[in-house]
Amino acid sequence: THFLDTAHLLCPLPVLKARKTLSSMQTGEELTVIATDPMAQIDIPHMCQEDGHSLVSQTAHADVLTFVIRCGDHKNVE
């Protein structure tokens, strides 16, 4: 499992960093992303849908959002 801490970064940085990390991962590997920007609740699921990744879980605890993303076959995404 890969881990990405984007706490205290504002939109669009959490999505851009997640996308960059996912691009170097193998299909089926999982990435856990930590974010504090409320927009990530919209942006990260949207990125997963656009890029062919699976959003395994999305949780919120206090101001911290945690996303678990299963890497899709992004090699077909331009």
Side-chain angles (χ1 to χ4, degrees):
T1 300
H2 300 261
F3 183 81
L4 179 63
D5 184 355
T6 66
H8 309 296
L9 296 179
L10 298 178
C11 176
L13 289 175
V15 164
L16 293 176
K17 289 183 175 289
R19 184 173 274 147
K20 182 176 181 181
T21 301
L22 286 160
S23 73
S24 66
M25 292 170 52
Q26 298 296 315
T27 300
E29 289 185 309
E30 290 188 353
L31 172 65
T32 299
V33 180
I34 302 297
T36 52
D37 182 358
M39 286 302 295
Q41 292 183 83
I42 297 167
D43 294 343
I44 289 185
H46 181 74
M47 177 211 61
C48 290
Q49 186 176 18
E50 290 288 306
D51 293 358
H53 304 300
S54 299
L55 184 60
V56 177
S57 68
Q58 175 178 339
T59 57
H61 185 266
D63 292 335
V64 179
L65 304 167
T66 304
F67 304 89
V68 177
I69 303 166
R70 184 170 298 119
C71 187
D73 188 9
H74 50 74
K75 307 299 187 248
N76 296 328
V77 176
E78 294 299 321

